[in-house]
């Protein structure tokens, strides 16, 4: 991973979880709370493996799907970087490629704190689960 990345303890756990599945080349996780305005923010996480593997992607997707979460989640692998994001964000933004993605995230942050808090709780559950997923020894 690149030098000089500032990662929160939540981010460290996420990196640790994702690193179990392969060598991370890139990682991004927005902060939980907007410090300037004091509201919770929709969690989403982007990452890229140095050597992405289909089996790994399917294992992570299946692990996320297996959880009983408060909001629906999706792993978007349409581009080089993979993203774990609440389905609602993708739906309202018409996908990650659309320039409105940031606007939709901001709008949900400002207008739907209940959704943000549920998603944050889910996010912790997902990371915890990924830290415990059984990896088969090949």
């Amino acid at each position: 991973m690149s030098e000089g990345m500032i990662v929160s303890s939540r981010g460290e756990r996420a990196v640790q979880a994702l690193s179990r599945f392969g060598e991370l080349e890139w990682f991004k996780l927005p902060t939980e709370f907007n410090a300037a305005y004091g509201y919770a923010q929709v969690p989403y996480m982007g990452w890229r493996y140095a050597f992405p593997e289909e089996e790994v992607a399917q294992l992570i997707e299946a692990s996320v799907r297996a959880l009983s979460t408060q909001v629906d989640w999706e792993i978007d692998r349409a581009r080089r970087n993979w993203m774990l994001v609440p389905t609602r964000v993708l739906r309202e933004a018409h996908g990650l490629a659309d320039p409105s993605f940031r606007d939709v995230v901001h709008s949900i942050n400002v207008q739907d704190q209940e959704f943000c808090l549920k998603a944050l709780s889910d996010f912790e559950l997902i990371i915890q689960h990924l830290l415990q997923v059984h990896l088969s020894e090949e």
Side-chain angles (χ1 to χ4, degrees), residues 32-53:
E32 271 179 272
F33 293 94
N34 181 309
Y37 299 103
Y39 54 70
Q41 303 196 115
V42 175
Y44 59 91
M45 170 171 74
W47 71 98
R48 179 173 61 247
Y49 287 111
F51 310 100
E53 295 178 39

Side-chain angles (χ1 to χ4, degrees), residues 10-73:
R10 179 176 75 128
E12 284 168 15
R13 284 199 323 281
V15 165
Q16 186 185 357
L18 293 172
S19 295
R20 296 181 67 220
F21 302 93
E23 181 191 336
L24 279 182
E25 191 172 82
W26 177 84
F27 174 80
K28 180 175 171 69
L29 175 67
T31 57
E32 271 179 272
F33 293 94
N34 181 309
Y37 299 103
Y39 54 70
Q41 303 196 115
V42 175
Y44 59 91
M45 170 171 74
W47 71 98
R48 179 173 61 247
Y49 287 111
F51 310 100
E53 295 178 39
E54 184 60 28
E55 301 79 37
V56 166
Q58 289 176 2
L59 178 61
I60 294 171
E61 286 172 339
S63 300
V64 171
R65 267 197 312 273
L67 287 172
S68 175
T69 53
Q70 298 176 70
V71 304
D72 292 329
W73 290 82

Side-chain angles (χ1 to χ4, degrees), residues 74-89:
E74 220 161 294
I75 294 178
D76 183 293
R77 299 191 288 131
R79 277 165 309 289
R80 201 169 132 214
N81 299 332
W82 296 355
M83 289 274 293
L84 170 70
V85 64
T87 306
R88 172 184 170 184
V89 176

